[in-house]
Amino acid sequence: MTNMRNREDTMRKLTLTTAILATTALTAPAFADSHLKVVDKPLELSIHMHWPRAQGYGVGGSPSEIYPVEQAAREMTNVSLVDATAGRNSTDSNEAMNLLIAQGNMPDIVGGHLIQQPVNQYGPEGAFVPLNDLVKEHAPHIQAFWDANPDLVQAISAYDGNYYYIPYLPDGKFGRAWYIRQDWLDALGLEQPQNVDELHAVLTAFRNDDPNGNGLKDEIPYFARQWEEVNRLLTLWDARSSGSDTYHDFYVNDAGSVVHPYAQDAYRDALSNVAQWYEEGLIDPEIFTRGSSSRDYLLSENLGGMTHDWFASTSGYNDALADKVAGFNFIPFLPPASEAGVRMEEHRRIPIKPDGWAISYTNENPVETIKYFDFWFTDEGRNLANFGVEGKTWDLVDGEPIYKPEVLNSDSPVNSQMYLEGAQIQRGYFQDYRYEWQWTSQAAREGIELYDANDLLIDQFLGVSFNQDEQKVYDKYWPSLRTYMLERQQAWILGSGEVKADWDDYVKTLNRMGYEDVITVLNSAYQRQYN
Ligand code: CA
């Protein structure tokens, strides 16, 4: 059986090679960059690539429309990826992964959004190939990245100590920032607030003193597109809202233990203040319901005073509303110092995503595949993954990849253009922040430089990989605990109950619902993984 299979494979490859030689004999020097070539004979690998922007490996998710980046990669490496994505009908990548695993017919490469948990669960059971030795032996560029960032290898490793995927590695430090209406401050003769008490005074003035000048008490001092950003105010009283770029995540405390922010005494006291500010009308009364259009609406109607949101997109409003709102000036400002005197920006870009790609057990060419993965960490591959095809979307200018003017000046955002090229998609690659800096507005650049000069960032909790027993405990208790925490949180902010009065009962309920068991498995996994 094995022999016959091998012979058939050999026959097939020979036939294929002959056919290709016959058709490309005259254009063979097309593979000029021979140092990037992964295989001498063309190799086809199947791929599952499911992510929110596209459910399939091809332009817009279409399996038949090949990405320009894929075409270029084929010419450079001699490896072709052929789409074999499961769950194309759904935008839910978890659902697609479950379908892929249930169907049993795994493609050579499994990639896309949220693959870390499944590859760490099924990898040790044999569904995916451990990459540690393969990378050490065959992927010098990836290994060099790990050697420079050993903590990130720990963070992606499964409970057996191996790692099973090459992640999408974001670049750049800052994500969100505090924004305030400088023109409102000016209108009221106020300075930018430097601490939590000054912020309280400013928001109160926004509420009461008619900074938009229409004679109505219609201002919304603090608002947010994502209601979860109301919790970011907790940091002003030295509590936490999350340990990572995922809302409501665990964090590592000063003692080196993993804990949940919403089970800490600091949270009780801070949330009590947030509820007070809500009662005083300093926080959008519709914070939980207004939704994703609230930034657009409240700014364009000259009603919103302050928010916590992304540098790049929030800085765009000054240009967008210049004609609509006279004097409009919404600018980033330093996080006000907390009650204990700490200026902190809790949000930052996470250095690794749970997205990327893995090699499935059915792959008969794991060495060639890891060499192919390594290609994307070479200078040429990294430029291709970030900026698209050289000469088409960008040129090398004084050694720097620079987008062509038609890309930068297009009505379509640069990232959306890149997704259609096959760049900035969720393969395993190292993002290059120069990709984003080129289309970041001057105001946002100045804000980023201000934040960068003030040492505001804190370490992130990069997650743990559970063994099977730990996973069971976590799955049994955590979802209902989280739901309970968020229900209570919302009720307290809205004034139903009082957090300080309810606290002892709340803590008892958390413990009855398994909080300590969840913390125990998180810490056992954390110790194994990081120590
Ligand atoms: Ca007003």
Side-chain angles (χ1 to χ4, degrees):
M1 186 73 188
T2 312
N3 280 339
M4 208 163 92
R5 174 97 186 274
N6 281 343
R7 213 171 60 206
E8 275 173 14
D9 275 359
T10 310
M11 291 290 287
R12 188 171 54 81
K13 281 176 187 159
L14 280 174
T15 317
L16 195 68
T17 311
T18 313
I20 283 167
L21 282 176
T23 55
T24 61
L26 293 174
T27 55
F31 304 136
D33 264 335
S34 60
H35 70 288
L36 298 172
K37 218 196 282 180
V38 169
V39 281
D40 289 329
K41 296 173 188 171
L43 175 67
E44 236 177 48
L45 298 170
S46 56
I47 180 170
H48 168 94
M49 174 63 81
H50 196 287
W51 61 302
R53 305 264 181 177
Q55 294 76 53
Y57 187 73
V59 180
S62 161
S64 56
E65 215 180 321
I66 294 166
Y67 287 126
V69 164
E70 162 67 16
Q71 191 58 49
R74 288 179 181 182
E75 287 162 17
M76 292 178 184
T77 65
N78 230 357
V79 174
S80 303
L81 301 193
V82 178
D83 183 77
T85 300
R88 205 179 282 289
N89 298 334
S90 167
T91 54
D92 183 334
S93 295
N94 282 322
E95 222 172 84
M97 178 66 77
N98 289 338
L99 196 69
L100 181 77
I101 284 163
Q103 81 186 18
N105 177 26
M106 300 272 272
D108 297 313
I109 297 170
V110 173
H113 187 47
L114 299 180
I115 67 163
Q116 182 180 21
Q117 196 278 328
V119 301
N120 281 349
Q121 179 178 349
Y122 299 115
E125 296 172 17
F128 297 98
V129 177
L131 302 182
N132 308 50
D133 291 342
L134 271 179
V135 167
K136 268 190 201 126
E137 287 162 24
H138 304 289
H141 299 88
I142 298 176
Q143 189 59 46
F145 183 88
W146 293 144
D147 290 344
N149 301 279
D151 53 324
L152 299 187
V153 190
Q154 290 178 325
I156 62 164
S157 294
Y159 63 84
D160 66 354
N162 291 318
Y163 69 92
Y164 291 89
Y165 82 114
I166 303 297
Y168 156 36
L169 299 148
D171 195 20
K173 289 188 284 189
F174 294 96
R176 292 174 184 269
W178 298 96
Y179 273 75
I180 197 159
R181 287 290 296 275
Q182 182 63 46
D183 54 324
W184 282 14
L185 290 172
D186 296 342
L188 300 179
L190 298 169
E191 299 292 323
Q192 282 182 7
Q194 299 302 320
N195 59 49
V196 60
D197 292 333
E198 291 179 18
L199 178 62
H200 182 260
V202 160
L203 294 179
T204 303
F206 281 2
R207 168 79 287 200
N208 296 334
D209 299 345
D210 193 24
N212 67 8
N214 65 354
L216 301 171
K217 195 172 167 181
D218 55 353
E219 289 81 358
I220 306 287
Y222 180 75
F223 66 92
R225 282 188 296 164
Q226 289 86 10
W227 69 262
E228 293 90 343
E229 290 298 331
V230 74
N231 294 323
R232 211 66 79 173
L233 297 168
L234 294 165
T235 61
L236 297 170
W237 295 278
D238 304 290
R240 296 289 301 276
S241 78
S242 180
S244 75
D245 72 341
T246 301
Y247 288 123
H248 323 301
D249 203 356
F250 297 86
Y251 75 101
V252 182
N253 69 12
D254 292 341
S257 297
V258 183
V259 296
H260 198 275
Y262 304 159
Q264 311 305 309
D265 288 350
Y267 169 75
R268 172 196 61 204
D269 300 339
L271 194 73
S272 169
N273 286 301
V274 172
Q276 178 66 31
W277 283 24
Y278 184 86
E279 191 185 339
E280 292 173 15
L282 308 185
I283 295 167
D284 185 0
E286 296 178 45
I287 188 85
F288 291 107
T289 50
R290 199 186 293 275
S292 58
S293 64
S294 56
R295 185 179 60 170
D296 264 348
Y297 171 74
L298 292 171
L299 292 180
S300 62
E301 296 298 316
N302 199 9
L303 295 171
M306 170 183 161
T307 196
H308 188 252
D309 209 324
W310 287 84
F311 267 114
S313 62
T314 315
S315 285
Y317 283 90
N318 282 347
D319 282 342
L321 297 178
D323 296 334
K324 189 164 192 290
V325 182
F328 184 87
N329 191 14
F330 199 44
I331 60 169
F333 71 112
L334 282 178
S338 70
E339 202 168 41
V342 178
R343 286 191 198 267
M344 178 214 283
E345 175 48 66
E346 190 183 46
H347 182 261
R348 66 186 297 179
R349 289 163 192 258
I350 199 154
I352 43 167
K353 283 286 193 182
D355 318 323
W357 52 21
I359 303 177
S360 87
Y361 76 100
T362 58
N363 187 319
E364 292 177 352
N365 302 281
V367 170
E368 290 77 9
T369 307
I370 205 72
K371 286 181 176 172
Y372 175 76
F373 284 2
D374 196 55
F375 157 74
W376 295 99
F377 282 72
T378 64
D379 289 344
E380 293 89 343
R382 195 174 171 213
N383 279 341
L384 186 60
N386 275 282
F387 302 97
V389 179
E390 184 177 5
K392 181 169 188 274
T393 49
W394 61 279
D395 296 301
L396 205 59
V397 180
D398 299 333
E400 300 265 330
I402 303 294
Y403 279 123
K404 287 180 177 291
E406 55 266 37
V407 172
L408 292 174
N409 299 331
S410 165
D411 287 341
S412 170
V414 174
N415 52 355
S416 302
Q417 296 179 63
M418 288 301 106
Y419 303 147
L420 298 177
E421 294 291 320
Q424 299 288 338
I425 69 171
Q426 292 184 346
R427 57 171 67 86
Y429 81 108
F430 182 20
Q431 195 178 44
D432 185 334
Y433 191 60
R434 290 177 298 179
Y435 132 84
E436 194 170 315
W437 189 251
Q438 291 182 48
W439 46 285
T440 299
S441 71
Q442 188 54 34
R445 288 182 185 189
E446 285 167 13
I448 290 167
E449 280 159 0
L450 172 72
Y451 271 47
D452 210 10
N454 280 276
D455 191 26
L456 304 171
L457 295 178
I458 50 173
D459 284 342
Q460 286 196 306
F461 174 52
L462 297 176
V464 295
S465 298
F466 292 124
N467 65 28
Q468 283 144 321
D469 291 340
E470 292 160 348
Q471 187 75 48
K472 270 183 210 147
V473 171
Y474 183 85
D475 290 346
K476 181 178 175 188
Y477 296 121
W478 179 242
S480 50
L481 269 166
R482 184 178 182 281
T483 302
Y484 174 70
M485 284 176 167
L486 297 187
E487 277 172 8
R488 294 308 300 142
Q489 176 179 75
Q490 182 166 346
W492 283 324
I493 293 173
L494 294 176
S496 164
E498 207 278 304
V499 56
K500 285 185 174 169
D502 298 343
W503 187 253
D504 287 349
D505 284 342
Y506 172 73
V507 170
K508 274 183 205 146
T509 307
L510 293 183
N511 287 332
R512 199 172 62 239
M513 293 176 75
Y515 176 75
E516 289 299 336
D517 299 284
V518 170
I519 290 302
T520 299
V521 298
L522 271 162
N523 281 286
S524 64
Y526 183 75
Q527 291 303 326
R528 178 179 60 237
Q529 195 163 343
Y530 293 93
N531 291 347

